[in-house]
Amino acid sequence: MKVLGMISGTSHDGIDVAVVDFELVGSVLEGRVLHTASTPYPAELRARLIAAMPPAPTTLAEVCELDTLIGQSFAGAAAVAIEAGGPVDLVVSHGQTVYHWVEGAHALGTLQIGQPAWIAERTGAPVLSDVRIRDITAGGHGAPLVSVLDGLLLGAYESGAGALNLGGIANMTVVRGDTLYAYDIGPANALIDAVVTSRGLHPRGFDEDGRIAASGRVHERLLEVLLDEPYYRLAAPKSTGKELFHLAYVESALARAGVTVGVTVGDADLVATLTELTVRTVAHDVRAAEVGALVVSGGGCRNPVVMEGLRAALPGVSVSPSDDFGAPADDKEAIAFALIGWLTAHGLPGTVPGGTGAASARILGTLTPGAGPLVLPAPVTTPPRALRLA
């Protein structure tokens, strides 16, 4: 079964796609990754999306228009992917998260936009969307959903392994045999990107190759204030997003630390400090998990300052990119959503309760028919025990 997975993550910079051909061989699900790509949002659309994100006020009219425009962007990316990777049996669209409603230790709702009907109309393929909410209705956080892939991919590590994704938010799945738990650690690139964008430090809105951070010095007082965030002390499972970690959050921390950008701290120093925040918070949780291996994916794993910082802070832990396991680091989440599509189509849960905190596993998503009748494969009664990607 060929599935196209699509997502725009918490960095909201574009659409990642992966076409994966799945075949169940005994108890092992084999996946051939046929095509991957990333399509940036048009600059005007990204600017409108950023302007509508919390804590900024917005209108239902703007949400409606963004839902349509993002859906059309996803449809265009899907059409290009199908032209490159061949026809698919199912498209899975995560869409764009614009709000993740969390109060204390509980997720109460989540909103992803990008109308899937545009994808179905453009491609003729059925579309699975709205994949997070069913887990939330079962008491979970609806995140990190990539944990279902991590469990199948890393279960063979007897000494335990951590799968770390460094997108806008850093999330980690800890796998030890049949035991799995996962949660959002805190910001990975979210605060860095917010500062780089607002101060015009890079035309693409991120610290490319960590060059800005490498040219600055960590401001210890500001870092101390940033580390005193109550979210870090919450027990897992937990989830967060840009509802908490945004530009105004940085500005508040600067005020509490008595620091003024351009006077007591330079732009590069601020980026260096926010980068060190990611390293410190991630390394703290990896040490607490007591794993022997850390497999890293997401845009942050292309930042040498982050990766060198993690290796220095985690002696004795093998730190490697997910590419070594057949899941390209930039495409792992798109592959994960293709996997969720295969699971849903075969009547299997797309969550692991330990990964999201749900009462029990749930089949995920809402289906939009394509050009023809909606026909699903015969259900699979026994879930795969492992995933092998090539």
Side-chain angles (χ1 to χ4, degrees):
M1 181 180 190
K2 287 176 65 176
V3 186
L4 166 59
M6 310 180 72
I7 179 174
S8 178
T10 48
S11 293
H12 47 63
D13 51 2
I15 303 162
D16 296 328
V17 305
V19 177
V20 187
D21 191 2
F22 292 105
E23 182 181 4
L24 186 60
V25 181
S27 63
V28 177
L29 183 61
E30 297 185 349
R32 289 191 303 126
V33 181
L34 303 178
H35 172 75
T36 62
S38 183
T39 303
Y41 279 137
E44 181 182 353
L45 176 56
R46 185 169 191 259
R48 284 183 67 175
L49 177 60
I50 291 172
M53 296 286 283
T58 191
T59 65
L60 288 175
E62 182 68 356
V63 172
C64 178
E65 292 184 23
L66 286 171
D67 187 42
T68 294
L69 293 171
I70 290 170
Q72 291 171 341
S73 291
F74 269 74
V80 172
I82 290 170
E83 183 178 352
V88 299
D89 302 298
L90 178 67
V91 177
V92 182
S93 175
H94 170 272
Q96 178 69 64
T97 297
V98 289
Y99 191 68
H100 193 63
W101 183 14
V102 178
E103 291 187 2
H106 302 285
L108 303 179
T110 190
L111 180 61
Q112 286 76 44
I113 62 174
Q115 174 53 243
W118 291 104
I119 305 171
E121 185 67 23
R122 179 78 178 267
T123 66
V127 181
L128 184 75
S129 61
D130 211 16
V131 292
R132 294 190 185 273
I133 189 60
R134 188 62 190 277
D135 181 76
I136 289 177
T137 65
H141 278 261
L145 292 185
V146 72
S147 58
V148 69
L149 181 149
D150 295 329
L152 292 172
L153 205 58
L154 301 178
Y157 271 92
E158 294 183 3
S159 61
L164 173 68
N165 181 65
L166 295 172
I169 300 298
N171 61 62
M172 181 170 66
T173 305
V174 178
V175 184
R176 188 172 281 105
D178 292 332
T179 302
L180 178 152
Y181 65 92
Y183 62 99
D184 288 344
I185 294 172
N189 301 311
L191 300 182
I192 300 168
D193 292 353
V195 167
V196 170
T197 299
S198 70
R199 310 228 15 118
L201 303 181
H202 189 282
R204 294 178 62 191
F206 70 99
D207 185 9
E208 188 172 10
D209 296 327
R211 292 172 189 154
I212 302 171
S215 68
R217 298 178 62 183
V218 174
H219 191 286
E220 293 297 337
R221 171 58 187 154
L222 176 59
L223 180 60
E224 180 184 350
V225 169
L226 289 163
L227 286 169
D228 191 33
E229 164 57 51
Y231 176 81
Y232 303 133
R233 298 190 287 275
L234 293 177
K238 57 182 178 177
S239 61
T240 189
K242 290 190 172 180
E243 301 75 32
L244 174 60
F245 296 112
H246 46 67
L247 182 62
Y249 180 93
V250 178
E251 292 168 345
S252 174
L254 287 165
R256 296 197 309 275
V259 173
T260 303
V261 179
V263 179
T264 51
V265 65
D267 288 336
D269 300 331
L270 178 55
V271 172
T273 303
L274 295 172
T275 303
E276 181 64 14
L277 174 68
T278 296
V279 172
R280 293 272 187 102
T281 52
V282 168
H284 174 274
D285 283 22
V286 173
R287 284 192 294 268
E290 297 181 337
V291 295
L294 186 66
V295 180
V296 191
S297 62
C301 80
R302 306 304 186 199
N303 185 325
V305 177
V306 171
M307 294 300 287
E308 290 167 11
L310 288 175
R311 290 189 174 102
L314 298 168
V317 177
S318 169
V319 180
S320 59
S322 63
D323 305 63
D324 296 351
F325 296 82
D330 295 326
D331 308 306
K332 183 184 167 192
E333 284 197 300
I335 293 169
F337 284 100
L339 169 64
I340 287 170
W342 185 91
L343 292 168
T344 292
H346 289 83
L348 295 171
T351 60
V352 180
T356 65
S360 57
R362 292 290 187 271
I363 300 171
L364 301 179
T366 301
L367 281 164
T368 300
L374 184 60
V375 179
L376 297 177
V380 171
T381 56
T382 303
R385 294 282 298 172
L387 173 66
R388 185 182 301 126
L389 293 172

